[in-house]
Amino acid sequence: MKRLHKLAQHDAAFLLLFIFLVALSLRGPVTGLPPLLDRISTDLHLSSSQSGLLTSLPLLAFGFFAPVASWLTRHFRIERILASGVGLIAIGMIIRTFGSISTLYIGAIFIGAGIAIGNVLLPSLLKREFPNYVVQLTAIYVLMMSIGGFLMSSLAVPLSLVAEQPNFAFPMSGWSFALACQSLLILLPLVVWFSCKITQHQAPQTNSLDASTSVWRSVTAWQVAGFLAVNSLVNYVVVAWVPAILMNNGYTDSTAGLYQGYLQLAGAIPSLILAPFINRLGSHRRLCLFATGLTTSSLAGFLFVPSWSGVWSVSFGFGISMGFILGLSFVSLRTNSPKQAAALSGMAQLIGYTLAAIGPVLIGALYDLQQSWTVPLYAMLSFAVIWMGLGWMASPKPDR
C-alpha cells in the first residue's frame, strides 16, 4: 500500500513539473518578440503595420485553435495533446529564426496554435487531476507564465547584442540568435514528457447539450465577455508597442525590454494575492475599480510622465493582470451552471482574441499615419476608460 502511495506521489510530481514547464512557455514566445521588433523592422524594412501583424497572428491563432483543442479531447488524452501543443510552439520558434518575414509569420501561426492548446487544456488538467488544490496550483501556474514572459522579454535584446559582437561568428542576425535562444526554454517540458515518467489518464466522456446559443442573447454575458475582451485588447496592444514607445521617449532598447519584463513579472503578483484571498478583500466591484483605475492611470503615466516608465510598467502589469483574474472569476459568478460558464468563456475568448489581434495592427497603422505615439496613447487610454465602465457593469453587485 505504501509503495502504491509513493508511486502515486511520484506520478503527481512529474505531472506537476510538466504542467508548470508548459505554463512557462505560454507567454514568453509572444512577449519576447516586441523588444526585438525595432531591430527586425530595420533589418527587414517592415512598416509598423507589418510589425504589428507579427504580434497579432498568434492571437488570431489563439481564437481559431481554441475550439479545435476542445474537440481534440474527445479523441486523444489531454497530456498527449498538451505535449503536441508544446511541440508546435517549439517548431514555430525554430521556424521564425530563419530570418525572413515569411518565416516569422509562419512561425507565429505555429506558436499561436500551440499556446491555444495550452490555454484551453491546462486549467482542465489541473481541475481533473488536482481538484482539491486548484486555487493554489493555478497561482503557481500563472506565476510560471509570468516568469517565462519576464525571461524572454528582458533577455531578448542582451542576447541579440551578444550575437552582434565582432568576435561572435554565427551565421544569423542578432535578433535571430535571440529567438533561437528563447526556443531552448520551450524544450524543457518536452524533455519531461519524453522521460516517459508521466502516467496518462483518459478523462471521462460526458454528453451534454451545447449552451453557447443562450449566452449570446444575454446582456450580462456581453458585459463579462466585453470586460475580458477589452482586457485582452489593452494588454496585447501595450505588450506589442510599449518597447517602441519607450525607445521613442529616449530609453535604450535594452532598458525598454527590461521594463517590459517588469510588466510581465508584476502580472504574477495579483494571482498570488487574489487566488487565496479574493473573498476577503471586499466587493468584486471595488476590486475591479481599483484594477481598471490603476491600469488607466498607468497608461496616462506613459503619456504624460514618461520619465517614470519603470513605475508605469509595474503598475500596468499589476492592474491588467488583476483585472484578468477578476474577469475570469466573473465567468463563474455571473453564470448559473458549468455549462453556461464554459459557453461564456468561449464567447469571451473568441471576441477577446479577435480584438487583441486587430489592436496592435491598428495602433501601428495609427503611428505610421501620425509619426508620433501621442495619438495612439490617447486611443489606448480611451480603451482603458471603456474597460473601467465594462468592469463596473460586469462585476457582481455587492450584497447589501
Side-chain angles (χ1 to χ4, degrees), residues 148-188:
F150 170 75
L151 288 174
M152 292 196 189
S153 297
S154 58
L155 295 177
V157 173
L159 286 170
S160 70
L161 291 174
V162 168
E164 292 168 3
Q165 295 297 318
N167 58 348
F168 192 91
F170 208 77
M172 60 172 58
S173 62
W175 60 264
S176 292
F177 174 76
L179 293 177
C181 291
Q182 289 179 0
S183 65
L184 297 176
L185 197 65
I186 309 303
L187 299 179
L188 295 177

Side-chain angles (χ1 to χ4, degrees), residues 369-387:
L369 184 65
Q370 298 287 326
Q371 290 300 307
S372 168
W373 284 110
T374 301
V375 173
L377 276 170
Y378 272 114
M380 289 189 281
L381 194 57
S382 300
F383 294 146
V385 172
I386 294 170
W387 188 48

Side-chain angles (χ1 to χ4, degrees), residues 8 36-37 68 222 224 274 370:
L36 300 169
L37 276 180
V68 176
W222 275 102
V224 175
L274 288 178
Q370 298 287 326

